[in-house]
Amino acid sequence: MQIQDLPYPDPGVPDASSGPRFLRWLFRNQLGGQLKSLAWGLLHFTAVCGLPFCVGLAVQAVVDRSGSRLALAGGLMALCAAGIALGETFLHRAAVTNWITAAARVQQLLARKTAQLGSALTRRVAAGEVVAVSTGDVEKIGWFVEALSRFTAAALTVVLVCVGLTVYQPALGIVVAVGVPVLALAVLPLLPRATRRADHQREKAGRATELASDTVAGLRVLRGIGGEELFLERYRRASQEVRHAAVRSARMWSLISAIQVLMPGLLMIAVVWYGVHLASEGRITVGELVTVYSSVMLLTYPLRHFEEIAMAYSFSRPSAKRAARVLSLERATDTEGSREAVVPSGDLYDPATGLLAPAGRFTAVVCGDPDAAGLLAERLGGHPAEQGTSVLLGGVPLDDLPLSSARTAVLVQDKDPVLLSGSLRELLDVPASGEVNADEALAAAQCGDVLDSLAQGSLDAEDPLDARITERGRSLSGGQRQRLALARSLITDPEVLVLDEPTSAVDSHTEARIAAGVRSLRADRTTVVFTSSPLLLDHADRVVLVHDGEVVAVGKHREMVHNEPRYRAVVTRETDDEAVLREADEHQEHPEHTRETATVSGPAARGVREEIEETA
């Protein structure tokens, strides 16, 4: 296991049933690195704790005026110093490697899960929690994984020193052997409370992060309605709650640290008092007293790792729990697929709704419910939110294909596409068939003014494609972001392109040109557009009306406007009162219609119906 091996070709399948099990899974997958860290830790700690024996031997040699034993003590001290230096160096390297490896593995797992779930992730987990898991939580998990081997080395060293002191000087060694476990276990009663306070702090921090993320995402809207001060005050309160929780947690950990300092001090006082008493009686030598005293003093160093592992576990446990919750999420369908990795072609058909998009045609879909349209768009792309009948492409169920093949065959652009920071060239550098170049896609998406705007904002970029795009494209308007996202989708040139409201933030003149450009560029490809815009609907080869989860009408836009009331109500935004008035006008123009044609209802329509009846 080396850092240069990252990222791993396959980070593995984690045990995400719980936070502790996920930590154990990480530890097992880094067993080689953990054993290496344990070995270097034992060398380092035993060399540190071996110094007191060398010092005691040297003091006794001076008392006995023995030059040979003094030389031996000097040689042993040099050997311990070399062990300390060597062990500390490679222990640090191994520990950092374990930390980075664990953090990188968790990040790979989170990235893979995000890619598998797609847009379904943010519907099932809050965005703030995803941010917290992928940033701060990853570091805390890595901290615990690497600290575990160092703690094990420290614990084994403490046991070895206690055994050695007991053999070397039984009278004082027994005192140390009894006192050291008391030191190690003294803070155990405080750990549950410290862990609860740490969990409370993490919960408050996660809520503050989520609130900050939502506020930043909607800042433009908040400014438009004058609500930024309201949300700023909410964030101030959330931030203060995090601060108070952090202070309460820090108080408990400072108390634990104080106990870790106080208890060894009391043990040293007891050892010195009892040792002086034994030395005065001649039962131990001065060198033995110095050895035991120095050993107890240096034992505080490995004992500090008991506090560190307690802190690391209390901080990493909620982090591992959150990571396991995200990693345990599954798609509604199998991600591996039971068929070979092929990209089918042909008609796109959804048995659940009866929606058919013929191959090579421009199909527009009208839904009265925007949320239902988004879910249907995801179903067509092979990302169903729940189990159900699979969508067919050329007769092949998308759910039976590997996830990569399904996404290659059908690309879904949702109504709120994300632009990553970087240059425009990097934004458009996506997997593509090679049949559509960047200039053609940008022209079809009517991005000319967007290129001019980016060029003016990046004076150091000679080519507009080298202009920088800020995070999530916040420096661009909503319509500009939509058009760049559309151009990115057009470059991929998939077998089937599904667009969900691709021009909702674009003016009507630009929308008409986009409709013509997309139709021309996708002339021989299957394109499905979810929209209620008459400009896009008028360019479609066929229009499908989906009502209450099933197809209720199919035809051309102009025909359906006149013949299908439900379609007309969605496309023209016709209200009930307007429908009644229109029917009244049609009845007056065509008196042969009987009063049964007035089928409207509601208080607002009764007066008009009475007028129709009187006229008849």
Side-chain angles (χ1 to χ4, degrees):
M1 180 193 66
Q2 299 292 334
I3 293 180
Q4 57 261 33
D5 296 333
L6 301 175
Y8 289 118
D10 182 12
V13 180
D15 184 353
S17 56
S18 67
R21 290 192 176 186
F22 178 60
L23 291 175
R24 286 198 295 271
W25 178 85
L26 283 175
F27 184 85
R28 289 197 305 269
N29 277 268
Q30 294 181 209
L31 190 57
Q34 298 292 346
L35 292 176
K36 186 184 298 184
S37 178
L38 175 61
W40 290 117
L42 283 173
L43 174 62
H44 174 65
F45 291 129
T46 53
V48 170
C49 294
L51 284 176
F53 292 93
C54 300
V55 172
L57 181 61
V59 170
Q60 192 61 41
V62 171
V63 172
D64 296 339
R65 298 181 181 275
S66 173
S68 60
R69 281 189 292 167
L70 184 61
L72 176 62
L76 292 176
M77 290 180 68
L79 185 62
C80 287
I84 292 172
L86 187 65
E88 172 67 16
T89 300
F90 286 95
L91 172 61
H92 180 73
R93 287 173 59 90
V96 171
T97 300
N98 288 336
W99 190 333
I100 294 177
T101 302
R105 191 187 298 272
V106 175
Q107 287 178 328
Q108 278 188 263
L109 292 171
L110 291 171
R112 184 175 68 180
K113 181 60 65 175
T114 302
Q116 289 176 351
L117 294 176
S119 60
L121 175 63
T122 53
R123 290 201 304 268
R124 301 167 69 178
V125 180
E129 183 170 355
V130 176
V131 172
V133 170
S134 58
T135 53
D137 286 344
V138 167
E139 295 184 3
K140 294 178 180 63
I141 292 171
W143 177 27
F144 173 76
V145 171
E146 70 87 11
L148 193 56
S149 57
R150 288 190 291 110
F151 163 73
T152 305
L156 291 176
T157 302
V158 170
V159 173
L160 290 175
V161 171
C162 290
V163 172
L165 287 177
T166 303
V167 174
Y168 177 72
Q169 178 44 251
L172 286 177
I174 292 177
V175 175
V176 176
V178 172
V180 167
V182 174
L183 297 181
L185 301 177
V187 298
L188 281 183
L190 300 177
L191 289 180
R193 182 178 299 180
T195 301
R196 287 195 299 270
R197 292 190 179 185
D199 291 350
H200 182 66
Q201 178 192 352
R202 293 294 173 275
E203 181 182 354
K204 293 293 185 182
R207 292 178 181 176
T209 302
E210 182 178 350
L211 179 60
S213 177
D214 292 342
T215 302
V216 172
L219 189 58
R220 180 173 297 182
V221 177
L222 292 175
R223 285 177 175 172
I225 62 176
E228 63 269 23
E229 284 299 328
L230 174 62
F231 276 79
L232 182 59
E233 181 59 31
R234 290 182 181 177
Y235 181 73
R236 285 196 187 102
R237 290 197 299 269
S239 179
Q240 289 301 312
E241 290 177 359
V242 174
R243 183 180 67 84
H244 290 308
V247 170
R248 294 183 71 249
S249 179
R251 285 174 179 169
M252 184 57 63
W253 287 112
S254 64
L255 177 60
I256 292 175
S257 298
I259 293 175
Q260 289 287 330
V261 174
L262 175 63
M263 297 300 289
L266 295 176
L267 178 61
M268 281 193 291
I269 292 174
V271 168
V272 170
W273 179 82
Y274 187 53
V276 170
H277 176 69
L278 294 177
S280 64
E281 293 180 352
R283 296 168 58 182
I284 64 172
T285 64
V286 176
E288 291 173 339
L289 176 60
V290 171
T291 298
V292 176
Y293 168 77
S294 302
S295 297
V296 173
M297 183 177 63
L298 289 179
L299 272 179
T300 59
Y301 174 54
L303 282 174
R304 297 292 296 180
H305 288 76
F306 285 75
E307 177 191 354
E308 182 187 5
I309 196 64
M311 291 184 64
Y313 181 71
S314 65
F315 279 81
S316 65
R317 188 176 62 86
S319 298
K321 182 179 179 181
R322 280 196 294 263
R325 183 163 58 247
V326 175
L327 295 175
S328 64
L329 299 176
E330 296 292 342
R331 294 180 74 246
T333 56
D334 182 18
T335 58
E336 298 299 329
S338 57
R339 293 175 178 261
E340 60 179 345
V342 297
V343 180
S345 59
D347 296 343
L348 183 69
Y349 177 66
D350 178 24
T353 60
L355 174 62
L356 173 66
R361 305 286 295 277
F362 189 129
T363 302
V365 181
V366 176
C367 291
D369 183 0
D371 293 334
L375 293 175
L376 179 54
E378 291 182 357
R379 275 182 52 78
L380 295 180
H383 319 301
E386 55 187 20
Q387 290 282 0
T389 307
S390 175
V391 172
L392 306 177
L393 178 58
V396 178
L398 288 181
D399 292 351
D400 292 348
L401 293 173
L403 183 60
S404 58
S405 299
R407 289 184 172 176
T408 301
V410 183
L411 173 65
V412 179
Q413 176 182 304
D414 60 22
K415 59 173 60 70
D416 188 21
V418 175
L419 303 182
L420 302 179
S421 59
S423 67
L424 181 56
R425 192 183 305 278
E426 293 171 341
L427 174 71
L428 301 179
D429 184 16
V430 293
S433 66
E435 299 295 327
V436 179
N437 58 44
D439 292 337
E440 293 173 336
L442 291 169
Q446 301 299 310
C447 293
D449 64 316
V450 184
L451 297 179
D452 295 338
S453 176
L454 290 173
Q456 293 175 3
S458 302
L459 300 178
D460 57 339
E462 297 181 0
D463 189 336
L465 292 179
D466 295 324
R468 303 291 299 179
I469 297 176
T470 57
E471 181 186 3
R472 298 179 65 92
R474 299 192 190 281
S475 60
L476 303 173
S477 67
Q480 290 174 328
R481 288 196 298 270
Q482 274 192 337
R483 284 178 280 166
L484 286 179
L486 177 59
R488 179 179 58 187
S489 300
L490 292 174
I491 287 178
T492 61
D493 190 34
E495 184 68 27
V496 179
L497 177 61
V498 180
L499 304 172
D500 187 5
E501 295 290 353
T503 58
S504 59
V506 177
D507 63 84
S508 58
H509 297 287
T510 305
E511 188 176 29
R513 294 194 296 269
I514 290 175
V518 171
R519 179 183 173 87
S520 175
L521 192 64
R522 299 276 305 171
D524 298 324
R525 293 289 197 180
T526 306
T527 306
V528 181
V529 179
F530 286 82
T531 183
S532 59
S533 169
L535 294 173
L536 283 175
L537 295 170
D538 198 36
H539 282 80
D541 295 319
R542 54 188 266 127
V543 178
V544 179
L545 174 63
V546 177
H547 182 71
D548 289 339
E550 62 181 22
V551 174
V552 295
V554 179
K556 287 284 190 177
H557 166 63
R558 298 178 184 272
E559 299 173 353
M560 293 181 64
V561 167
H562 291 91
N563 301 330
E564 178 54 57
R566 289 170 294 187
Y567 178 83
R568 181 170 55 247
V570 175
V571 173
T572 65
R573 277 72 170 177
E574 185 180 60
T575 64
D576 291 342
D577 290 347
E578 291 172 341
V580 172
L581 293 174
R582 179 181 50 76
E583 289 182 3
D585 293 338
E586 291 178 353
H587 186 81
Q588 291 177 353
E589 292 177 1
H590 305 282
E592 66 275 10
H593 290 328
T594 63
R595 72 187 65 183
E596 283 77 7
T597 59
T599 60
V600 296
S601 61
R606 279 198 291 268
V608 178
R609 188 184 299 115
E610 291 173 358
E611 293 182 5
I612 295 175
E613 293 174 351
E614 291 177 359
T615 304

